[in-house]
Amino acid sequence: MSSTAAPSTLPARAQRAATFYRDLVGKKIAMALSGVIFFGFVIGHLAGNLQVFLGRQKFNDYAAFLHGTPSLLWGTRIVLLASLIVHVYTGVTLAQHSRAARPVPYQVKGQRRPNVAARTMLLSGGVLGAFIIYHLLHLTTGTVHPDFVALDAYDNVVKAFSPGPAAIAYVVAMGLLALHLYHGAWSMFQSVGFNHPRYSPGLKKFAAASSILLFAGFSSIPLAVLFGIVR
Protein backbone atom coordinates (compact mmCIF):
# COMPACT_ATOMS: atom_id res chain seq x y z
CA MET A 1 0.00 0.00 0.00
CA SER A 2 1.60 3.25 -1.15
CA SER A 3 1.49 6.40 0.86
CA THR A 4 1.34 9.89 -0.51
CA ALA A 5 2.58 13.05 1.10
CA ALA A 6 -0.08 15.28 2.51
CA PRO A 7 -0.74 18.23 0.22
CA SER A 8 0.60 21.55 1.41
CA THR A 9 -1.93 23.97 2.81
CA LEU A 10 -0.07 26.90 1.26
CA PRO A 11 0.47 27.67 -2.43
CA ALA A 12 4.05 27.26 -3.64
CA ARG A 13 4.65 31.02 -3.85
CA ALA A 14 3.36 31.54 -0.33
CA GLN A 15 5.64 28.78 0.93
CA ARG A 16 8.65 30.36 -0.76
CA ALA A 17 7.72 33.76 0.67
CA ALA A 18 7.37 32.30 4.18
CA THR A 19 10.71 30.50 3.86
CA PHE A 20 12.39 33.67 2.61
CA TYR A 21 10.89 35.74 5.44
CA ARG A 22 12.24 33.34 8.08
CA ASP A 23 15.75 34.20 6.91
CA LEU A 24 17.39 37.30 8.44
CA VAL A 25 17.88 38.89 5.02
CA GLY A 26 14.23 38.27 4.22
CA LYS A 27 13.16 40.05 7.40
CA LYS A 28 15.35 43.04 6.56
CA ILE A 29 13.87 43.26 3.08
CA ALA A 30 10.33 42.93 4.49
CA MET A 31 11.15 45.74 6.89
CA ALA A 32 12.46 47.85 4.03
CA LEU A 33 9.47 47.23 1.76
CA SER A 34 6.93 47.99 4.48
CA GLY A 35 8.92 51.15 5.18
CA VAL A 36 8.73 52.13 1.51
CA ILE A 37 4.94 51.82 1.66
CA PHE A 38 4.79 54.07 4.73
CA PHE A 39 7.22 56.54 3.18
CA GLY A 40 5.07 56.80 0.07
CA PHE A 41 1.91 57.20 2.13
CA VAL A 42 3.46 59.94 4.26
CA ILE A 43 4.37 61.91 1.14
CA GLY A 44 0.87 61.53 -0.29
CA HIS A 45 -0.74 62.34 3.06
CA LEU A 46 1.32 65.53 3.34
CA ALA A 47 0.43 66.58 -0.21
CA GLY A 48 -3.24 66.22 0.66
CA ASN A 49 -2.97 67.98 4.01
CA LEU A 50 -1.12 70.96 2.57
CA GLN A 51 -4.28 71.80 0.64
CA VAL A 52 -5.49 73.39 3.86
CA PHE A 53 -3.45 76.44 2.74
CA LEU A 54 -5.66 76.68 -0.38
CA GLY A 55 -8.69 77.52 1.72
CA ARG A 56 -11.77 75.97 3.31
CA GLN A 57 -13.57 74.88 0.14
CA LYS A 58 -10.56 73.26 -1.48
CA PHE A 59 -9.64 71.33 1.65
CA ASN A 60 -13.21 70.20 2.31
CA ASP A 61 -13.53 69.10 -1.32
CA TYR A 62 -10.39 66.99 -0.86
CA ALA A 63 -11.88 65.34 2.25
CA ALA A 64 -15.18 64.73 0.43
CA PHE A 65 -13.31 63.12 -2.48
CA LEU A 66 -11.55 60.68 -0.15
CA HIS A 67 -14.74 59.70 1.66
CA GLY A 68 -16.60 59.47 -1.64
CA THR A 69 -14.05 56.99 -3.02
CA PRO A 70 -14.29 54.04 -0.61
CA SER A 71 -12.18 51.75 -2.80
CA LEU A 72 -9.27 54.18 -2.58
CA LEU A 73 -9.83 55.00 1.08
CA TRP A 74 -10.27 51.45 2.38
CA GLY A 75 -7.78 49.96 -0.04
CA THR A 76 -5.16 52.33 1.35
CA ARG A 77 -6.16 51.58 4.93
CA ILE A 78 -5.95 47.79 4.41
CA VAL A 79 -2.51 48.05 2.78
CA LEU A 80 -1.28 50.33 5.58
CA LEU A 81 -2.62 48.03 8.29
CA ALA A 82 -0.94 44.99 6.74
CA SER A 83 2.29 46.95 6.34
CA LEU A 84 2.08 48.14 9.94
CA ILE A 85 1.75 44.58 11.24
CA VAL A 86 4.74 43.45 9.17
CA HIS A 87 6.78 46.52 10.13
CA VAL A 88 6.18 46.30 13.88
CA TYR A 89 6.56 42.53 14.17
CA THR A 90 9.67 42.46 11.98
CA GLY A 91 11.22 45.45 13.76
CA VAL A 92 10.81 43.85 17.17
CA THR A 93 12.09 40.51 15.87
CA LEU A 94 15.20 42.10 14.34
CA ALA A 95 15.88 44.04 17.53
CA GLN A 96 15.66 40.84 19.59
CA HIS A 97 17.96 39.06 17.14
CA SER A 98 20.48 41.91 17.35
CA ARG A 99 20.51 41.83 21.16
CA ALA A 100 20.85 38.04 21.23
CA ALA A 101 23.71 38.12 18.74
CA ARG A 102 25.57 40.84 20.63
CA PRO A 103 24.41 41.05 24.27
CA VAL A 104 27.43 43.20 25.20
CA PRO A 105 28.15 46.09 22.80
CA TYR A 106 31.58 46.12 21.22
CA GLN A 107 34.02 48.59 22.70
CA VAL A 108 36.38 49.48 19.90
CA LYS A 109 38.59 52.51 20.10
CA GLY A 110 37.55 55.04 17.48
CA GLN A 111 34.31 53.26 16.66
CA ARG A 112 31.50 55.73 15.92
CA ARG A 113 28.44 55.41 18.11
CA PRO A 114 25.07 55.08 16.38
CA ASN A 115 23.31 58.42 15.92
CA VAL A 116 20.28 59.48 17.94
CA ALA A 117 17.86 58.33 15.23
CA ALA A 118 19.36 54.84 15.20
CA ARG A 119 19.44 54.48 18.99
CA THR A 120 15.83 55.57 19.41
CA MET A 121 14.15 53.61 16.59
CA LEU A 122 12.12 51.35 18.89
CA LEU A 123 11.23 54.25 21.19
CA SER A 124 10.24 56.60 18.36
CA GLY A 125 8.35 53.77 16.69
CA GLY A 126 6.37 53.05 19.85
CA VAL A 127 5.54 56.72 20.43
CA LEU A 128 4.54 57.12 16.78
CA GLY A 129 2.25 54.08 17.09
CA ALA A 130 0.47 55.72 20.02
CA PHE A 131 0.35 59.03 18.13
CA ILE A 132 -1.22 57.38 15.07
CA ILE A 133 -4.01 55.97 17.23
CA TYR A 134 -4.59 59.38 18.80
CA HIS A 135 -4.44 61.10 15.41
CA LEU A 136 -7.11 58.77 14.02
CA LEU A 137 -9.35 59.34 17.04
CA HIS A 138 -8.71 63.08 16.83
CA LEU A 139 -9.08 63.99 13.16
CA THR A 140 -10.51 60.89 11.46
CA THR A 141 -13.25 59.60 13.73
CA GLY A 142 -13.51 62.68 15.96
CA THR A 143 -13.80 60.52 19.08
CA VAL A 144 -11.51 62.77 21.13
CA HIS A 145 -12.30 65.98 19.22
CA PRO A 146 -15.09 67.82 21.09
CA ASP A 147 -15.99 70.07 18.12
CA PHE A 148 -15.66 67.48 15.35
CA VAL A 149 -18.07 67.76 12.41
CA ALA A 150 -17.97 65.03 9.76
CA LEU A 151 -16.52 66.17 6.42
CA ASP A 152 -15.90 69.70 7.73
CA ALA A 153 -12.19 68.97 7.57
CA TYR A 154 -11.04 72.58 7.49
CA ASP A 155 -12.79 73.64 10.70
CA ASN A 156 -11.84 70.35 12.36
CA VAL A 157 -8.17 71.12 11.75
CA VAL A 158 -8.47 74.75 12.89
CA LYS A 159 -10.29 73.84 16.10
CA ALA A 160 -7.95 70.90 16.76
CA PHE A 161 -4.79 73.02 16.64
CA SER A 162 -6.07 76.26 18.13
CA PRO A 163 -5.02 75.17 21.64
CA GLY A 164 -1.25 75.69 21.88
CA PRO A 165 -0.45 72.39 23.65
CA ALA A 166 -2.16 70.34 20.91
CA ALA A 167 -0.25 72.12 18.15
CA ILE A 168 3.08 71.73 19.94
CA ALA A 169 2.39 68.05 20.65
CA TYR A 170 1.86 67.46 16.92
CA VAL A 171 5.11 69.25 16.09
CA VAL A 172 7.00 67.10 18.60
CA ALA A 173 5.43 63.97 17.09
CA MET A 174 6.51 65.12 13.62
CA GLY A 175 10.04 65.54 14.95
CA LEU A 176 10.02 61.90 16.07
CA LEU A 177 8.59 60.91 12.69
CA ALA A 178 11.46 62.74 10.95
CA LEU A 179 14.05 60.93 13.08
CA HIS A 180 12.38 57.58 12.43
CA LEU A 181 12.13 58.18 8.69
CA TYR A 182 15.72 59.39 8.45
CA HIS A 183 17.22 56.25 9.92
CA GLY A 184 14.55 54.04 8.35
CA ALA A 185 15.20 55.38 4.84
CA TRP A 186 18.95 55.03 5.27
CA SER A 187 18.59 51.48 6.61
CA MET A 188 16.25 50.65 3.74
CA PHE A 189 18.92 51.50 1.18
CA GLN A 190 21.41 49.31 3.04
CA SER A 191 18.94 46.41 3.30
CA VAL A 192 18.32 46.31 -0.44
CA GLY A 193 22.03 46.45 -1.27
CA PHE A 194 22.70 50.15 -1.98
CA ASN A 195 25.52 50.27 0.56
CA HIS A 196 28.46 51.45 -1.53
CA PRO A 197 31.06 54.18 -0.85
CA ARG A 198 30.18 55.79 -4.16
CA TYR A 199 26.46 56.14 -3.48
CA SER A 200 26.12 56.05 0.30
CA PRO A 201 26.90 59.76 1.02
CA GLY A 202 24.29 60.91 -1.51
CA LEU A 203 21.68 58.46 -0.25
CA LYS A 204 22.29 59.55 3.33
CA LYS A 205 21.83 63.19 2.32
CA PHE A 206 18.63 62.24 0.50
CA ALA A 207 17.29 60.51 3.62
CA ALA A 208 18.15 63.56 5.76
CA ALA A 209 16.69 66.08 3.30
CA SER A 210 13.48 64.09 2.87
CA SER A 211 12.99 63.83 6.63
CA ILE A 212 13.59 67.56 7.14
CA LEU A 213 11.16 68.51 4.36
CA LEU A 214 8.47 66.18 5.71
CA PHE A 215 8.93 67.57 9.21
CA ALA A 216 8.67 71.14 7.91
CA GLY A 217 5.60 70.32 5.81
CA PHE A 218 3.63 68.55 8.52
CA SER A 219 4.64 71.01 11.25
CA SER A 220 3.63 73.99 9.12
CA ILE A 221 -0.06 73.09 9.48
CA PRO A 222 -0.49 73.16 13.29
CA LEU A 223 1.90 76.12 13.51
CA ALA A 224 -0.07 78.01 10.83
CA VAL A 225 -3.24 77.49 12.86
CA LEU A 226 -1.51 78.42 16.10
CA PHE A 227 -0.23 81.72 14.65
CA GLY A 228 -3.47 82.59 12.89
CA ILE A 229 -2.31 82.05 9.31
CA VAL A 230 -4.94 79.34 8.81
CA ARG A 231 -8.15 80.23 10.65
Side-chain angles (χ1 to χ4, degrees):
M1 183 177 179
S2 61
S3 60
T4 57
S8 173
T9 57
L10 290 175
R13 289 183 180 178
Q15 289 184 55
R16 287 196 294 269
T19 301
F20 179 71
Y21 178 78
R22 283 194 289 268
D23 186 75
L24 185 61
V25 174
K27 284 184 171 62
K28 289 183 177 180
I29 291 179
M31 191 75 175
L33 291 177
S34 60
V36 169
I37 292 172
F38 282 122
F39 194 73
F41 169 75
V42 166
I43 293 173
H45 191 50
L46 175 60
N49 286 353
L50 287 177
Q51 293 186 58
V52 74
F53 290 105
L54 300 179
R56 181 189 307 275
Q57 189 61 51
K58 188 72 174 178
F59 194 61
N60 283 348
D61 286 346
Y62 164 67
F65 166 75
L66 290 181
H67 284 270
T69 317
S71 59
L72 174 63
L73 184 64
W74 283 101
T76 301
R77 287 173 175 173
I78 290 169
V79 170
L80 287 174
L81 179 59
S83 300
L84 179 64
I85 293 171
V86 171
H87 200 73
V88 172
Y89 177 78
T90 307
V92 172
T93 302
L94 287 173
Q96 291 173 340
H97 180 274
S98 179
R99 289 197 185 100
R102 191 172 59 187
V104 179
Y106 293 137
Q107 298 295 327
V108 180
K109 185 177 181 180
Q111 184 184 42
R112 295 182 62 184
R113 291 175 59 83
N115 58 41
V116 174
R119 295 199 305 269
T120 59
M121 282 298 282
L122 282 179
L123 174 62
S124 62
V127 174
L128 286 172
F131 168 75
I132 289 170
I133 294 172
Y134 173 75
H135 180 59
L136 292 172
L137 294 174
H138 193 201
L139 287 172
T140 300
T141 66
T143 306
V144 297
H145 189 318
D147 301 311
F148 186 85
V149 176
L151 295 182
D152 190 1
Y154 188 91
D155 274 353
N156 290 339
V157 167
V158 171
K159 291 175 181 177
F161 295 135
S162 293
I168 298 303
Y170 266 78
V171 172
V172 171
M174 293 306 98
L176 289 174
L177 175 65
L179 280 175
H180 198 83
L181 287 177
Y182 165 65
H183 183 70
W186 173 234
S187 297
M188 174 192 70
F189 290 128
Q190 292 179 309
S191 296
V192 297
F194 289 109
N195 187 14
H196 189 280
R198 184 175 179 180
Y199 310 114
S200 292
L203 293 174
K204 202 165 188 176
K205 289 178 182 178
F206 169 78
S210 300
S211 300
I212 292 170
L213 288 174
L214 288 169
F215 169 73
F218 278 115
S219 298
S220 68
I221 298 170
L223 291 177
V225 173
L226 187 61
F227 291 107
I229 300 170
V230 173
R231 56 187 178 180

